[in-house]
Amino acid sequence: DSGVTQTPKHLITATGQRVTLRCSPRSGDLSVYWYQQSLDQGLQFLIQYYNGEERAKGNILERFSAQQFPDLHSELNLSSLELGDSALYFCASSVRSNEQFFGPGTRLTVL
Amino acid sequence: GENVEQHPSTLSVQEGDSAVIKCTYSDSASNYFPWYKQELGKRPQLIIDIRSNVGEKKDQRIAVTLNKTAKHFSLHITETQPEDSAVYFCAASQNTGNQFYFGTGTSLTVIP
């Protein structure tokens, strides 16, 4: 157990819908990173937040947005969902060290 | 931005043999290189990392080597066991707390 939690574990929804994925970092970690992993694909970096502020942006679609709240938990919002958005979504957290600790992931299925 | 390439994409070895996975990076400013192991349906977990001020690091059967001049680093697993079967990802980053640039992964199968 890395100490990073993600909810829900699984999410099944329909095209065109909107969902919110939640991540709670390890205690004391200020940075949260979101990744998308499609079937048999690598880890695509989406976005990073540090202490409430956006720090880096990767290949995140305009339909996707994220935020980090004062208690440091983060939410990833995915809207106008398409079949191709079906994937595992991981969040990771880190403090000052380089190591990123990954959560268990949320498996999103868009039907 | 940084570009990390990883080879091979799949690797099969007999139990007890060694496995080597190689990665190259493009940005000479990258100074931290972790390796993650991801078992099927599980989260990626850090198995070893190396910083740019070190050329080699070893942890039991796992070692990582770094060649800054050539901008490549490699993961070496000796005496492979079936439980080593997983997807391995390399990554590169600059400075503390910055984003990781991941390679595309290597699916390692250890045949008993």
Side-chain angles (χ1 to χ4, degrees):
Chain A
D1 186 358
S2 66
V4 179
T5 61
Q6 288 186 248
T7 56
K9 277 184 122 172
H10 303 278
L11 197 49
I12 302 174
T13 188
T15 55
Q17 295 299 303
R18 172 189 168 96
V19 297
T20 297
L21 313 183
R22 182 188 169 105
C23 169
S24 292
R26 294 185 322 152
S27 177
D29 284 1
L30 300 178
S31 277
V32 170
Y33 310 79
W34 285 98
Y35 294 90
Q36 180 192 56
Q37 186 175 42
S38 302
L39 192 63
D40 294 331
Q41 296 293 309
L43 292 156
Q44 299 296 321
F45 170 69
L46 297 178
I47 197 163
Q48 176 197 358
Y49 277 82
Y50 178 82
N51 203 19
E53 300 290 325
E54 181 184 305
R55 182 158 181 176
K57 219 166 188 176
N59 298 322
I60 187 166
L61 300 173
E62 284 193 13
R63 301 183 286 109
F64 296 0
S65 65
Q67 55 185 325
Q68 187 179 27
F69 295 86
D71 66 353
L72 300 177
H73 91 272
S74 178
E75 293 181 355
L76 178 67
N77 301 295
L78 314 176
S79 62
S80 302
L81 285 168
E82 302 174 358
L83 295 177
D85 297 327
S86 295
L88 255 177
Y89 290 85
F90 287 104
C91 80
S93 74
S94 70
V95 59
R96 293 187 184 281
S97 67
N98 285 104
E99 182 177 356
Q100 291 184 20
F101 296 86
F102 282 77
T106 292
R107 182 172 294 283
L108 173 67
T109 303
V110 182
L111 301 175
Chain B
E2 174 67 278
N3 181 45
V4 177
E5 295 189 357
Q6 183 172 347
H7 299 280
S9 57
T10 60
L11 180 60
S12 291
V13 299
Q14 292 290 332
E15 182 177 358
D17 287 350
S18 296
V20 180
I21 302 170
K22 299 181 179 181
C23 289
T24 61
Y25 61 100
S26 60
D27 193 336
S28 56
S30 290
N31 56 13
Y32 176 69
F33 307 93
W35 285 89
Y36 281 80
K37 175 183 179 182
Q38 186 179 26
E39 296 175 2
L40 192 62
K42 303 281 183 65
R43 75 186 80 195
Q45 291 189 285
L46 180 73
I47 55 171
I48 196 167
D49 56 11
I50 192 168
R51 299 182 190 276
S52 59
N53 58 346
V54 174
E56 184 173 359
K57 184 176 178 181
K58 191 171 180 180
D59 182 5
Q60 299 184 327
R61 297 187 295 108
I62 295 173
V64 57
T65 58
L66 171 65
N67 184 325
K68 283 191 299 183
T69 304
K71 296 203 204 61
H72 69 70
F73 56 112
S74 300
L75 177 70
H76 304 254
I77 306 174
T78 58
E79 300 171 25
T80 53
Q81 301 167 4
E83 51 264 40
D84 294 329
S85 296
V87 178
Y88 292 80
F89 292 97
C90 64
S93 77
Q94 300 176 29
N95 302 320
T96 300
N98 283 359
Q99 69 174 96
F100 286 2
Y101 296 87
F102 279 95
T104 48
T106 296
S107 178
L108 173 65
T109 301
V110 179
I111 304 164

